[in-house]
Amino acid sequence: MAVDPRGADLKRLVAEEDGQPIVMLNLLRFGSGGVERYAEYLRHFRPFAERVGGQIIYYGLGQPALVAETEQQWDAVLLVRYPNRTAFSTMVRDPDYQRGTHLRTEALVKAVLQPTLEAMNTVWPDGTHT
């Protein structure tokens, strides 16, 4: 199972660039020793994220799910805000950043990496606003 974005994934992400900030949702399942290895990755990752305007807004270890199938439970969640999609793509293409991505790959056995858009001030189908 892929745990890292591929070139085609990044091209699709950037093709949808609209200049809006995104929050990258990371759902993480660790392999043996993965928590420690992922901590090493985060130490490597943070300066590169900050260089492109990214900010870790939450990192937490998962607890037993209240509603989910067993295989849908996650060991950790990471939320990182980026100023736009291009900033994320710029970071992951940086050769110095790429030298440390093996730490993430080695830590994980399964992952979801999904960009999200803020939905504040959204008009819902019933006419209400958030």
Side-chain angles (χ1 to χ4, degrees):
M1 164 165 279
V3 296
D4 298 308
R6 298 181 190 128
D9 302 321
L10 293 172
K11 286 180 185 177
R12 187 177 69 248
L13 179 78
V14 173
E16 297 169 354
E17 179 65 80
D18 57 7
Q20 292 187 60
I22 60 169
V23 173
M24 195 64 76
L25 167 67
N26 293 255
L27 300 175
L28 311 167
R29 185 159 309 132
F30 298 122
S32 177
V35 173
E36 297 81 11
R37 200 72 166 147
Y38 200 78
E40 289 180 61
Y41 166 72
L42 288 176
R43 285 190 293 277
H44 170 78
F45 160 81
R46 184 176 292 230
F48 292 98
E50 290 173 350
R51 192 174 301 156
V52 297
Q55 174 188 14
I56 294 175
I57 56 177
Y58 179 80
Y59 176 62
L61 299 178
Q63 298 292 294
L66 297 178
V67 178
E69 299 296 323
T70 302
E71 62 274 358
Q72 293 177 329
Q73 295 187 36
W74 297 97
D75 295 327
V77 173
L78 174 68
L79 298 172
V80 184
R81 180 183 308 276
Y82 295 93
N84 52 48
R85 295 166 186 261
T86 302
F88 174 80
S89 178
T90 298
M91 180 195 72
V92 299
R93 288 190 334 266
D94 183 314
D96 292 328
Y97 166 77
Q98 289 179 10
R99 280 190 262 289
T101 59
H102 68 93
L103 298 166
R104 182 179 190 279
T105 304
E106 294 164 5
L108 301 175
V109 294
K110 189 173 184 180
V112 170
L113 188 59
Q114 180 177 348
T116 67
L117 296 174
E118 186 173 335
M120 298 305 293
N121 300 315
T122 298
V123 178
W124 296 98
D126 66 0
T128 60
H129 298 302
T130 57

